[in-house]
Amino acid sequence: MSKYWSAVARKLIPYVPGEQPKLSQLVKLNTNENPYPPSERAVAAIAGELGEDGGKLRLYPDPNGDRLKAAIASFYAADGVSAANVFVGNGSDEVLAHVFQALLKHERPILFPDITYSFYPVYCGLYEIEHVAVPLADDFSIVADDYLRPNGGIIVPNPNAPTGRLLPLAEIERIVASNPDSVVVIDEAYIDFAAEAVPTAIPLVARYPNLLVVHTLSKSRSLAGLRVGFAIGDAQLIEALERVKNSFNSYPLDRLAIAGGVAAMNDRAHYDTTRRAVMNSREQLTRDLHSLGFDIVPSAANFIFVRHPQLDAATLASALRERAIIVRHFRLPRIDQYLRITIGTDDQCTALLSALREIL
């Protein structure tokens, strides 16, 4: 720790992302990446934007990302979404960073689950926002009643991470409706893998000016390497985010990200095919792991949260790594005996099951 560090830097506990190993030939099931390639239309759009000589890269991108906002609005047009309701950024992490600063920094502490995306307390530390970690129920579900109290804002992932549990839309609406003086952020990074017909909270935006819904193209659109995220909410919430963004980085999305993001949002067939493939593999893997004696938390995401009653989770993760399979283990209270396993291709799931049968 250097004497040149600021007081803020000294007290920060940074977010630790999932491991990105340099080794090849690994079955990588630790960071919730989509196992399938992105839309061919997105790849072609990126190549088209790059061109033969990359000449467009000498030019700044559109600072507002208007084409991308229009594509997102079009995708959700049936829910009453227009471009004025859309904010875009470098992955949902950057979008969330601006959300914390623009909408969640108030006198009262904000609320979020005690077991959840671990970037939330990091942002609270960075922006000096007080927070209360609300305990999940014993079955790892979010209890809506726990969020019906005075607060400076609420952020709830749905499905939650790392558990994968889904909070019904009616319960989401109850939280939003019961907190009219606070912004309620629903972080829907994994919602596209939910089996319910209309699980997203986006249709509620038109009725609740205090609701903001955050999405990413990293998961269901297979664009984790491109870094594109967005938020949908009332135009006044979006204006606050734009004010913060334009005081931090007026050109957040590069030309390739905008081109690829637009094409990915427009390719509904690819989106639907790949997400359904992941959902089908999730259900099959769940059945197979049950047959091996695993306890599995009900998941609506592209991962599952599991434990084996007779095996230590850290030992099991290590044994899998020895067999070139990596999963995510969190050494945290209440969940230190669980592993989070990303849903891979059918071949990757078969390799995982073969390794587990060998270990067991």
Side-chain angles (χ1 to χ4, degrees):
M1 190 175 293
S2 168
K3 66 179 182 180
Y4 301 112
W5 287 18
S6 70
V8 172
R10 288 174 181 272
K11 67 181 181 181
L12 285 178
I13 302 175
Y15 171 74
V16 179
E19 179 186 3
Q20 293 290 349
K22 303 298 188 292
L23 300 176
S24 60
Q25 306 303 317
L26 283 176
V27 176
K28 187 173 180 295
L29 304 176
N30 68 321
T31 51
N32 300 340
E33 293 146 327
N34 196 312
Y36 302 106
S39 161
E40 291 181 359
R41 289 167 60 179
V43 175
I46 293 169
E49 185 70 18
L50 187 60
E52 292 186 3
D53 63 356
K56 286 186 179 179
L57 296 184
R58 67 186 179 80
L59 303 173
Y60 282 109
D62 173 9
N64 297 316
D66 286 333
R67 284 200 303 132
L68 180 56
K69 290 179 181 179
I72 293 167
S74 176
F75 189 89
Y76 295 104
D79 298 319
V81 176
S82 71
N85 301 120
V86 182
F87 176 81
V88 296
N90 279 298
S92 59
D93 286 338
E94 182 181 72
V95 173
L96 288 168
H98 294 332
V99 167
F100 272 74
Q101 194 166 34
L103 301 173
L104 298 179
K105 189 175 175 63
H106 299 287
E107 293 181 0
R108 288 175 169 165
I110 68 170
L111 309 177
F112 52 76
D114 65 334
I115 300 172
T116 193
Y117 186 29
S118 53
F119 228 137
Y120 299 162
V122 173
Y123 286 140
C124 287
L126 177 62
Y127 298 122
E128 299 183 327
I129 300 171
E130 294 295 322
H131 72 278
V132 174
V134 181
L136 297 179
D138 291 341
D139 64 355
F140 296 141
S141 61
I142 291 172
V143 181
D145 285 345
D146 292 340
Y147 295 84
L148 311 186
R149 54 167 142 166
N151 62 78
I154 295 170
I155 182 164
V156 173
N158 198 41
N160 195 10
T163 66
R165 292 206 67 129
L166 184 73
L167 187 63
L169 187 59
E171 293 297 276
I172 293 288
E173 183 168 13
R174 195 154 66 89
I175 293 173
V176 176
S178 299
N179 289 279
D181 297 324
S182 300
V183 172
V184 178
V185 181
I186 306 300
D187 184 355
E188 294 188 339
Y190 303 101
I191 198 69
D192 293 329
F193 301 105
E196 292 186 17
V198 189
T200 176
I202 289 174
L204 302 178
V205 166
R207 302 205 302 273
Y208 296 99
N210 62 322
L211 172 62
L212 188 80
V213 184
V214 178
H215 275 229
T216 178
L217 272 62
S218 295
K219 313 301 182 183
S220 60
R221 268 82 176 189
S222 304
L223 291 175
L226 205 59
R227 313 308 301 130
V228 179
F230 63 90
I232 292 178
D234 182 83
Q236 291 192 19
L237 298 185
I238 300 304
E239 182 183 356
L241 295 175
E242 296 286 358
R243 288 170 67 88
V244 169
K245 184 267 288 186
N246 288 323
S247 301
F248 174 74
N249 177 8
S250 58
Y251 294 97
L253 284 173
D254 63 49
R255 304 182 71 93
L256 305 185
I258 292 172
V262 169
M265 292 303 302
N266 289 336
D267 194 345
R268 293 175 183 248
H270 183 272
Y271 155 79
D272 201 49
T273 297
T274 54
R275 76 184 185 94
R276 290 188 182 280
V278 170
M279 291 161 61
N280 291 338
S281 296
R282 179 186 68 208
E283 301 314 310
Q284 183 60 54
L285 182 59
T286 297
R287 290 191 291 269
D288 291 337
L289 290 178
H290 270 308
S291 71
L292 294 179
F294 281 86
D295 296 329
I296 304 170
V297 178
S299 175
N302 68 333
F303 58 85
I304 52 177
F305 205 49
V306 310
R307 74 180 184 96
H308 197 286
Q310 279 78 50
L311 289 174
D312 174 70
T315 301
L316 182 54
S318 178
L320 286 171
R321 177 178 284 273
E322 291 172 0
R323 292 161 174 81
I325 299 171
I326 54 175
V327 297
R328 191 79 186 265
H329 177 233
F330 298 89
R331 300 178 184 274
L332 298 170
R334 296 183 66 191
I335 60 171
D336 62 334
Q337 287 305 307
Y338 283 81
L339 298 177
R340 192 193 68 190
I341 303 173
T342 302
I343 305 303
T345 63
D346 288 344
D347 286 346
Q348 289 175 322
C349 291
T350 297
L352 170 68
L353 291 165
S354 296
L356 288 172
R357 291 188 182 102
E358 184 179 301
I359 294 167
L360 294 170

